């Protein structure tokens, strides 16, 4: 029997899990299925597939031409302190969102749902935007989102989409034509972490505290340390600690739970085909030390004339400075994140062991477990 899924990818590094193919399939023949590492991949039902090829056409990892734009580079901080404090970096995203709300538009971004899963959802006002603000170190689901955005645009509404570069590129290919009222914004992305590992971590925390987690902040700014505190709430009680000591975050930043496709990502440059790119301005202490107050600064890269026109309308809400490409360069704008040594064995152990035991092994490995480090190198 012909493997219809092979039309989309043959190796897992060839699929970013954006889900555009599932939304694009007119026959409903594609569903996203989790693998043993906790990542979602498209699976094609051969009984429903008509062979139209629409799924492959929207894949953001398939080769296609991209226009080279004349980029403009800025460092940005929201003038309103509470806007900046409530954001992971300098507050560019909520300022853009407020602009779209003034046009009676809709904003799409990643948020936690009631199960503490991360999925994209719409916001129509600043109150609904709260859940979309701040970084989520979990790959988000976009099931149904592409279709929803297309309908909003066809109805003449403004739409701001914010997501990873592959998600943004998937949306652009899904839509098939330009929309003047779409603001396509992508992030400077370190790599997409496993939703399955995240869910295992949440369950472990809930068992430990004998309750239900209702909130998690990966980059809390309470210590004015550029968000190196993470905090979560279980049964109404908050627990806070060093980001670098949180077991889930340590797995992420040691590159063990990142999606295979991220390690060969082709979007890790300043040239993107979105309208703009936003992220943390790492290196602000070198470029503008007077602005390095520990509360975050956004780097903003404008790629299109549309983005530059919008910039002119929102810049009065920002403290900003123009800079050059060399000033904003950081690792994820020059190349993809490398996989952790022994990643394959690490993820195999995740699939075999209870998460509590798996977590102990990982902690020993990064805290001086020589025998385990040697094992992971094999």
């Amino acid at each position: 029997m012909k493997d219809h899924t092979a039309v989309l990818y043959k190796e897992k590094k060839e699929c970013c899990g954006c889900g555009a193919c599932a939304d694009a399939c007119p026959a409903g023949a594609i569903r996203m299925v989790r693998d043993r590492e906790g990542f979602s991949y498209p699976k094609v039902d051969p009984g429903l597939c008509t062979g139209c090829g629409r799924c492959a056409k929207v894949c953001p990892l398939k080769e296609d031409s991209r226009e080279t734009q004349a980029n403009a580079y800025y460092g940005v901080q929201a003038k309103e302190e509470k806007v900046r404090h409530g954001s992971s970096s300098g507050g560019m995203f909520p300022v853009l969102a407020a602009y779209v709300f003034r046009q009676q538009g809709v904003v799409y971004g990643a948020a936690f749902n009631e199960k503490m899963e991360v999925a994209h959802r719409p916001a129509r006002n600043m109150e609904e935007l709260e859940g979309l603000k701040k970084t989520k170190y979990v790959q988000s689901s976009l099931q149904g989102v592409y279709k929803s955005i297309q309908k909003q645009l066809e109805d003449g509404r403004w739409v701001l989409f914010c997501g990873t570069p592959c998600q943004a590129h998937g949306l652009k290919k899904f839509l098939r034509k330009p929309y003047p009222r779409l603001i396509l914004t992508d992030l400077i992305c370190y790599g997409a972490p496993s939703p399955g590992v995240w869910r295992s971590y949440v369950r472990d925390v809930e068992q430990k505290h004998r309750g239900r987690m209702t909130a998690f902040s990966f980059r809390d700014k309470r210590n004015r340390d550029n968000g190196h505190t993470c905090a979560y709430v279980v049964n109404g009680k908050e627990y806070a600690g060093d980001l670098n000591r949180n077991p889930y975050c340590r797995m992420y930043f040691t590159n063990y739970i990142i999606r295979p496709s991220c390690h060969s990502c082709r979007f890790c440059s300043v040239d993107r085909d979105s309208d703009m790119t936003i992220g943390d301005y790492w290196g602000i202490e070198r470029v503008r030390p007077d602005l390095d107050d520990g509360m975050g600064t956004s780097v903003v890269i404008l790629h299109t004339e549309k983005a530059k026109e919008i910039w002119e309308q929102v810049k009065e809400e920002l403290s900003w400075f123009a800079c050059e490409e060399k000033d904003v360069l950081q690792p994820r704008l020059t190349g993809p994140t490398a996989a952790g040594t022994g990643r394959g064995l690490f993820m195999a152990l995740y699939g075999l062991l209870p998460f509590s035991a798996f977590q102990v092994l990982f902690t020993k490995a990064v805290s001086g477990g020589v025998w385990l480090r040697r094992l992971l190198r094999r």
Side-chain angles (χ1 to χ4, degrees):
M1 182 180 292
K2 181 180 177 182
D3 182 5
H4 290 63
T5 303
V7 173
L8 294 171
Y9 71 96
K10 293 182 175 63
E11 299 180 53
K12 289 190 172 179
K13 66 180 181 180
E14 298 173 351
C15 174
C16 65
C18 69
C21 55
D23 262 23
C25 179
I30 300 175
R31 60 190 179 94
M32 302 299 289
V33 179
R34 289 264 178 97
D35 72 350
R36 292 182 180 179
E37 294 186 350
F39 294 106
S40 293
Y41 291 86
K43 185 173 179 59
V44 180
D45 184 337
L48 296 176
C49 179
T50 64
C52 70
R54 174 82 177 113
C55 56
K57 291 178 181 178
V58 303
C59 177
L61 299 194
K62 305 292 184 189
E63 289 298 329
D64 60 353
S65 59
R66 286 187 286 167
E67 296 181 11
T68 300
Q69 307 278 0
N71 296 330
Y73 303 91
Y74 298 97
V76 163
Q77 294 178 348
K79 286 182 178 179
E80 193 172 341
E81 187 68 18
K82 68 177 183 179
V83 172
R84 190 171 166 225
H85 184 270
S87 304
S88 293
S89 53
M92 184 63 187
F93 174 62
V95 168
L96 280 175
Y99 169 82
V100 171
F101 293 147
R102 290 195 293 271
Q103 320 306 317
Q104 307 302 309
V106 184
V107 176
Y108 286 81
F112 291 113
N113 62 20
E114 66 282 354
K115 297 180 180 179
M116 291 303 293
E117 300 165 332
V118 178
H120 266 64
R121 73 183 188 202
R124 295 172 177 81
N125 52 55
M126 294 305 289
E127 182 179 357
E128 292 181 355
L129 187 74
E130 282 301 309
L132 278 59
K133 291 161 62 177
K134 295 193 175 183
T135 298
K136 283 88 178 174
Y137 291 139
V138 188
Q139 184 169 30
S140 64
S141 168
L142 281 88
Q143 183 176 353
V145 170
Y146 299 98
K147 292 179 180 178
S148 175
I149 290 175
Q150 186 176 50
K151 184 179 187 307
Q152 298 286 355
L153 292 168
E154 290 294 333
D155 288 343
R157 294 188 180 88
W158 279 84
V159 173
L160 168 63
F161 175 85
C162 186
T164 63
C166 54
Q167 290 173 338
H169 192 51
L171 173 59
K172 188 170 185 176
K173 296 184 76 172
F174 175 90
L175 294 172
R176 291 190 282 185
K177 66 178 182 179
Y179 286 87
R181 294 188 173 184
L182 171 65
I183 307 173
L184 199 57
T185 303
D186 64 26
L187 302 166
I188 300 175
C189 177
Y190 186 82
S194 165
V197 175
W198 166 251
R199 184 56 193 158
S200 296
Y201 167 74
V202 171
R203 288 173 179 167
D204 187 71
V205 170
E206 290 179 334
Q207 289 174 4
K208 176 183 176 182
H209 296 297
R210 298 181 180 180
R212 189 170 71 88
M213 183 186 292
T214 54
F216 197 102
S217 175
F218 286 98
R219 300 291 297 277
D220 190 282
K221 294 182 179 179
R222 69 184 68 191
N223 294 322
R224 302 185 71 90
D225 58 357
N226 289 310
H228 284 88
T229 298
C230 68
Y232 58 83
V233 176
V234 177
N235 282 358
K237 182 177 179 180
E238 185 186 57
Y239 302 84
D242 185 345
L243 173 74
N244 295 314
R245 291 183 177 275
N246 178 273
Y248 176 82
C249 293
R250 292 177 83 178
M251 291 178 196
Y252 178 40
F253 288 114
T254 49
N255 306 347
Y256 284 114
I257 61 172
I258 294 174
R259 191 178 185 93
S261 62
C262 298
H263 302 307
S264 56
C265 178
R266 68 185 185 89
F267 298 104
C268 294
S269 75
V270 295
D271 295 316
R272 315 256 179 113
D273 61 355
S274 59
D275 292 304
M276 68 180 73
T277 297
I278 60 176
D280 289 311
Y281 199 131
W282 298 121
I284 188 66
E285 71 283 355
R286 170 179 50 82
V287 179
R288 286 292 301 271
D290 57 308
L291 298 179
D292 184 23
D293 61 357
M295 292 300 288
T297 303
S298 295
V299 60
V300 178
I301 308 175
L302 307 180
H303 303 293
T304 64
E305 290 304 313
K306 182 199 301 183
K308 293 168 186 176
E309 291 171 6
I310 293 170
W311 168 260
E312 291 298 320
Q313 297 182 62
V314 302
K315 67 181 185 181
E316 293 303 316
E317 301 173 51
L318 306 162
S319 297
W320 58 272
F321 63 93
C323 49
E324 299 179 14
E325 179 180 318
K326 64 180 178 63
D327 298 322
V328 306
L329 287 182
Q330 50 184 281
R332 297 296 73 80
L333 291 176
T334 59
T337 301
T341 302
R343 180 196 178 281
L345 176 58
F346 179 89
M347 292 303 288
L349 290 173
Y350 162 69
L352 292 171
L353 299 175
F355 189 75
S356 56
F358 170 73
Q359 194 169 243
V360 169
L361 282 175
F362 170 77
T363 301
K364 287 184 177 180
V366 298
S367 303
V370 176
W371 65 273
L372 186 54
R373 290 205 306 275
R374 287 175 178 171
L375 183 62
L376 288 174
R377 290 194 186 103
R378 294 179 182 178

PDB file of all heavy atoms in Angstrom, residues 15-39:
ATOM      1  N   CYS A  15       9.873  17.677   8.968  1.00  0.00           N
ATOM      2  CA  CYS A  15       8.539  18.155   9.365  1.00  0.00           C
ATOM      3  C   CYS A  15       8.669  19.032  10.606  1.00  0.00           C
ATOM      4  O   CYS A  15       9.215  18.602  11.622  1.00  0.00           O
ATOM      5  CB  CYS A  15       7.604  16.983   9.646  1.00  0.00           C
ATOM      6  SG  CYS A  15       5.990  17.477  10.305  1.00  0.00           S
ATOM      7  N   CYS A  16       8.132  20.254  10.530  1.00  0.00           N
ATOM      8  CA  CYS A  16       8.202  21.175  11.671  1.00  0.00           C
ATOM      9  C   CYS A  16       6.962  21.106  12.554  1.00  0.00           C
ATOM     10  O   CYS A  16       6.905  21.772  13.592  1.00  0.00           O
ATOM     11  CB  CYS A  16       8.420  22.608  11.183  1.00  0.00           C
ATOM     12  SG  CYS A  16       7.035  23.269  10.221  1.00  0.00           S
ATOM     13  N   GLY A  17       5.935  20.335  12.147  1.00  0.00           N
ATOM     14  CA  GLY A  17       4.745  20.170  12.981  1.00  0.00           C
ATOM     15  C   GLY A  17       3.816  21.357  13.015  1.00  0.00           C
ATOM     16  O   GLY A  17       3.002  21.484  13.935  1.00  0.00           O
ATOM     17  N   CYS A  18       3.889  22.235  12.003  1.00  0.00           N
ATOM     18  CA  CYS A  18       3.053  23.444  12.025  1.00  0.00           C
ATOM     19  C   CYS A  18       1.572  23.135  11.840  1.00  0.00           C
ATOM     20  O   CYS A  18       0.716  23.920  12.235  1.00  0.00           O
ATOM     21  CB  CYS A  18       3.518  24.423  10.955  1.00  0.00           C
ATOM     22  SG  CYS A  18       3.220  23.883   9.247  1.00  0.00           S
ATOM     23  N   GLY A  19       1.261  22.012  11.183  1.00  0.00           N
ATOM     24  CA  GLY A  19      -0.129  21.617  11.001  1.00  0.00           C
ATOM     25  C   GLY A  19      -0.846  22.287   9.842  1.00  0.00           C
ATOM     26  O   GLY A  19      -2.054  22.094   9.666  1.00  0.00           O
ATOM     27  N   ALA A  20      -0.126  23.064   9.032  1.00  0.00           N
ATOM     28  CA  ALA A  20      -0.764  23.740   7.895  1.00  0.00           C
ATOM     29  C   ALA A  20      -1.352  22.722   6.918  1.00  0.00           C
ATOM     30  O   ALA A  20      -2.412  22.947   6.330  1.00  0.00           O
ATOM     31  CB  ALA A  20       0.236  24.643   7.182  1.00  0.00           C
ATOM     32  N   CYS A  21      -0.669  21.576   6.764  1.00  0.00           N
ATOM     33  CA  CYS A  21      -1.148  20.542   5.836  1.00  0.00           C
ATOM     34  C   CYS A  21      -2.503  19.995   6.269  1.00  0.00           C
ATOM     35  O   CYS A  21      -3.379  19.729   5.430  1.00  0.00           O
ATOM     36  CB  CYS A  21      -0.121  19.421   5.724  1.00  0.00           C
ATOM     37  SG  CYS A  21       0.349  18.671   7.302  1.00  0.00           S
ATOM     38  N   ALA A  22      -2.694  19.826   7.573  1.00  0.00           N
ATOM     39  CA  ALA A  22      -3.968  19.299   8.077  1.00  0.00           C
ATOM     40  C   ALA A  22      -5.109  20.276   7.824  1.00  0.00           C
ATOM     41  O   ALA A  22      -6.208  19.877   7.412  1.00  0.00           O
ATOM     42  CB  ALA A  22      -3.854  18.987   9.564  1.00  0.00           C
ATOM     43  N   ASP A  23      -4.869  21.566   8.048  1.00  0.00           N
ATOM     44  CA  ASP A  23      -5.898  22.568   7.794  1.00  0.00           C
ATOM     45  C   ASP A  23      -6.179  22.731   6.308  1.00  0.00           C
ATOM     46  O   ASP A  23      -7.297  23.073   5.908  1.00  0.00           O
ATOM     47  CB  ASP A  23      -5.474  23.918   8.389  1.00  0.00           C
ATOM     48  CG  ASP A  23      -6.098  24.175   9.750  1.00  0.00           C
ATOM     49  OD1 ASP A  23      -6.479  23.193  10.409  1.00  0.00           O
ATOM     50  OD2 ASP A  23      -6.207  25.345  10.170  1.00  0.00           O
ATOM     51  N   ALA A  24      -5.141  22.489   5.482  1.00  0.00           N
ATOM     52  CA  ALA A  24      -5.282  22.716   4.042  1.00  0.00           C
ATOM     53  C   ALA A  24      -5.980  21.578   3.315  1.00  0.00           C
ATOM     54  O   ALA A  24      -6.505  21.770   2.223  1.00  0.00           O
ATOM     55  CB  ALA A  24      -3.906  22.953   3.419  1.00  0.00           C
ATOM     56  N   CYS A  25      -5.985  20.388   3.909  1.00  0.00           N
ATOM     57  CA  CYS A  25      -6.525  19.215   3.210  1.00  0.00           C
ATOM     58  C   CYS A  25      -8.036  19.345   3.005  1.00  0.00           C
ATOM     59  O   CYS A  25      -8.803  19.349   3.979  1.00  0.00           O
ATOM     60  CB  CYS A  25      -6.227  17.941   3.992  1.00  0.00           C
ATOM     61  SG  CYS A  25      -6.881  16.443   3.196  1.00  0.00           S
ATOM     62  N   PRO A  26      -8.514  19.436   1.765  1.00  0.00           N
ATOM     63  CA  PRO A  26      -9.953  19.610   1.532  1.00  0.00           C
ATOM     64  C   PRO A  26     -10.773  18.364   1.838  1.00  0.00           C
ATOM     65  O   PRO A  26     -11.990  18.448   2.033  1.00  0.00           O
ATOM     66  CB  PRO A  26     -10.013  19.946   0.028  1.00  0.00           C
ATOM     67  CG  PRO A  26      -8.794  19.330  -0.557  1.00  0.00           C
ATOM     68  CD  PRO A  26      -7.733  19.436   0.508  1.00  0.00           C
ATOM     69  N   ALA A  27     -10.085  17.214   1.927  1.00  0.00           N
ATOM     70  CA  ALA A  27     -10.801  15.962   2.186  1.00  0.00           C
ATOM     71  C   ALA A  27     -10.781  15.572   3.653  1.00  0.00           C
ATOM     72  O   ALA A  27     -11.368  14.562   4.044  1.00  0.00           O
ATOM     73  CB  ALA A  27     -10.188  14.841   1.338  1.00  0.00           C
ATOM     74  N   GLY A  28     -10.088  16.338   4.479  1.00  0.00           N
ATOM     75  CA  GLY A  28      -9.980  15.995   5.894  1.00  0.00           C
ATOM     76  C   GLY A  28      -9.232  14.704   6.118  1.00  0.00           C
ATOM     77  O   GLY A  28      -9.512  13.962   7.074  1.00  0.00           O
ATOM     78  N   ALA A  29      -8.248  14.440   5.253  1.00  0.00           N
ATOM     79  CA  ALA A  29      -7.532  13.161   5.298  1.00  0.00           C
ATOM     80  C   ALA A  29      -6.306  13.193   6.208  1.00  0.00           C
ATOM     81  O   ALA A  29      -5.650  12.161   6.378  1.00  0.00           O
ATOM     82  CB  ALA A  29      -7.099  12.763   3.883  1.00  0.00           C
ATOM     83  N   ILE A  30      -5.995  14.346   6.785  1.00  0.00           N
ATOM     84  CA  ILE A  30      -4.767  14.463   7.580  1.00  0.00           C
ATOM     85  C   ILE A  30      -5.100  14.819   9.024  1.00  0.00           C
ATOM     86  O   ILE A  30      -5.888  15.733   9.286  1.00  0.00           O
ATOM     87  CB  ILE A  30      -3.832  15.542   6.999  1.00  0.00           C
ATOM     88  CG1 ILE A  30      -3.452  15.191   5.557  1.00  0.00           C
ATOM     89  CG2 ILE A  30      -2.569  15.681   7.850  1.00  0.00           C
ATOM     90  CD1 ILE A  30      -2.616  16.259   4.861  1.00  0.00           C
ATOM     91  N   ARG A  31      -4.494  14.107   9.943  1.00  0.00           N
ATOM     92  CA  ARG A  31      -4.591  14.469  11.361  1.00  0.00           C
ATOM     93  C   ARG A  31      -3.191  14.461  11.963  1.00  0.00           C
ATOM     94  O   ARG A  31      -2.298  13.759  11.482  1.00  0.00           O
ATOM     95  CB  ARG A  31      -5.508  13.505  12.121  1.00  0.00           C
ATOM     96  CG  ARG A  31      -5.089  12.061  12.097  1.00  0.00           C
ATOM     97  CD  ARG A  31      -6.175  11.147  12.652  1.00  0.00           C
ATOM     98  NE  ARG A  31      -5.789   9.743  12.610  1.00  0.00           N
ATOM     99  CZ  ARG A  31      -5.226   9.086  13.615  1.00  0.00           C
ATOM    100  NH1 ARG A  31      -4.996   9.713  14.773  1.00  0.00           N
ATOM    101  NH2 ARG A  31      -4.890   7.818  13.502  1.00  0.00           N
ATOM    102  N   MET A  32      -3.011  15.274  12.995  1.00  0.00           N
ATOM    103  CA  MET A  32      -1.710  15.373  13.652  1.00  0.00           C
ATOM    104  C   MET A  32      -1.658  14.356  14.786  1.00  0.00           C
ATOM    105  O   MET A  32      -2.542  14.311  15.645  1.00  0.00           O
ATOM    106  CB  MET A  32      -1.484  16.785  14.185  1.00  0.00           C
ATOM    107  CG  MET A  32      -1.567  17.877  13.112  1.00  0.00           C
ATOM    108  SD  MET A  32      -0.339  17.709  11.797  1.00  0.00           S
ATOM    109  CE  MET A  32       1.175  18.135  12.686  1.00  0.00           C
ATOM    110  N   VAL A  33      -0.596  13.541  14.799  1.00  0.00           N
ATOM    111  CA  VAL A  33      -0.457  12.448  15.756  1.00  0.00           C
ATOM    112  C   VAL A  33       0.855  12.588  16.519  1.00  0.00           C
ATOM    113  O   VAL A  33       1.912  12.814  15.915  1.00  0.00           O
ATOM    114  CB  VAL A  33      -0.500  11.077  15.039  1.00  0.00           C
ATOM    115  CG1 VAL A  33      -0.341   9.938  16.031  1.00  0.00           C
ATOM    116  CG2 VAL A  33      -1.808  10.930  14.257  1.00  0.00           C
ATOM    117  N   ARG A  34       0.801  12.406  17.828  1.00  0.00           N
ATOM    118  CA  ARG A  34       2.001  12.502  18.663  1.00  0.00           C
ATOM    119  C   ARG A  34       2.885  11.265  18.518  1.00  0.00           C
ATOM    120  O   ARG A  34       2.383  10.137  18.474  1.00  0.00           O
ATOM    121  CB  ARG A  34       1.611  12.651  20.138  1.00  0.00           C
ATOM    122  CG  ARG A  34       0.998  14.008  20.502  1.00  0.00           C
ATOM    123  CD  ARG A  34       2.041  14.941  21.065  1.00  0.00           C
ATOM    124  NE  ARG A  34       1.454  16.248  21.377  1.00  0.00           N
ATOM    125  CZ  ARG A  34       1.045  16.599  22.589  1.00  0.00           C
ATOM    126  NH1 ARG A  34       1.167  15.743  23.593  1.00  0.00           N
ATOM    127  NH2 ARG A  34       0.537  17.794  22.792  1.00  0.00           N
ATOM    128  N   ASP A  35       4.199  11.483  18.465  1.00  0.00           N
ATOM    129  CA  ASP A  35       5.132  10.354  18.455  1.00  0.00           C
ATOM    130  C   ASP A  35       5.657  10.113  19.867  1.00  0.00           C
ATOM    131  O   ASP A  35       5.201  10.739  20.834  1.00  0.00           O
ATOM    132  CB  ASP A  35       6.274  10.606  17.457  1.00  0.00           C
ATOM    133  CG  ASP A  35       7.257  11.683  17.932  1.00  0.00           C
ATOM    134  OD1 ASP A  35       6.977  12.372  18.933  1.00  0.00           O
ATOM    135  OD2 ASP A  35       8.310  11.822  17.293  1.00  0.00           O
ATOM    136  N   ARG A  36       6.624   9.216  20.014  1.00  0.00           N
ATOM    137  CA  ARG A  36       7.135   8.852  21.339  1.00  0.00           C
ATOM    138  C   ARG A  36       7.894   9.982  22.011  1.00  0.00           C
ATOM    139  O   ARG A  36       8.088   9.965  23.225  1.00  0.00           O
ATOM    140  CB  ARG A  36       8.026   7.615  21.229  1.00  0.00           C
ATOM    141  CG  ARG A  36       7.267   6.343  20.861  1.00  0.00           C
ATOM    142  CD  ARG A  36       8.191   5.147  20.812  1.00  0.00           C
ATOM    143  NE  ARG A  36       7.467   3.925  20.469  1.00  0.00           N
ATOM    144  CZ  ARG A  36       8.041   2.733  20.349  1.00  0.00           C
ATOM    145  NH1 ARG A  36       9.355   2.612  20.543  1.00  0.00           N
ATOM    146  NH2 ARG A  36       7.327   1.673  20.040  1.00  0.00           N
ATOM    147  N   GLU A  37       8.344  10.956  21.239  1.00  0.00           N
ATOM    148  CA  GLU A  37       9.053  12.099  21.817  1.00  0.00           C
ATOM    149  C   GLU A  37       8.094  13.218  22.208  1.00  0.00           C
ATOM    150  O   GLU A  37       8.513  14.225  22.756  1.00  0.00           O
ATOM    151  CB  GLU A  37      10.088  12.631  20.828  1.00  0.00           C
ATOM    152  CG  GLU A  37      11.227  11.651  20.540  1.00  0.00           C
ATOM    153  CD  GLU A  37      12.309  12.263  19.668  1.00  0.00           C
ATOM    154  OE1 GLU A  37      12.091  13.378  19.121  1.00  0.00           O
ATOM    155  OE2 GLU A  37      13.377  11.650  19.543  1.00  0.00           O
ATOM    156  N   GLY A  38       6.808  13.042  21.904  1.00  0.00           N
ATOM    157  CA  GLY A  38       5.807  14.038  22.287  1.00  0.00           C
ATOM    158  C   GLY A  38       5.558  15.111  21.252  1.00  0.00           C
ATOM    159  O   GLY A  38       4.877  16.100  21.529  1.00  0.00           O
ATOM    160  N   PHE A  39       6.086  14.926  20.026  1.00  0.00           N
ATOM    161  CA  PHE A  39       5.869  15.889  18.954  1.00  0.00           C
ATOM    162  C   PHE A  39       4.772  15.390  18.017  1.00  0.00           C
ATOM    163  O   PHE A  39       4.611  14.183  17.819  1.00  0.00           O
ATOM    164  CB  PHE A  39       7.146  16.099  18.143  1.00  0.00           C
ATOM    165  CG  PHE A  39       8.260  16.751  18.902  1.00  0.00           C
ATOM    166  CD1 PHE A  39       9.360  16.007  19.317  1.00  0.00           C
ATOM    167  CD2 PHE A  39       8.217  18.105  19.203  1.00  0.00           C
ATOM    168  CE1 PHE A  39      10.394  16.604  20.014  1.00  0.00           C
ATOM    169  CE2 PHE A  39       9.249  18.713  19.901  1.00  0.00           C
ATOM    170  CZ  PHE A  39      10.333  17.958  20.316  1.00  0.00           C
TER     171      PHE A  39
END
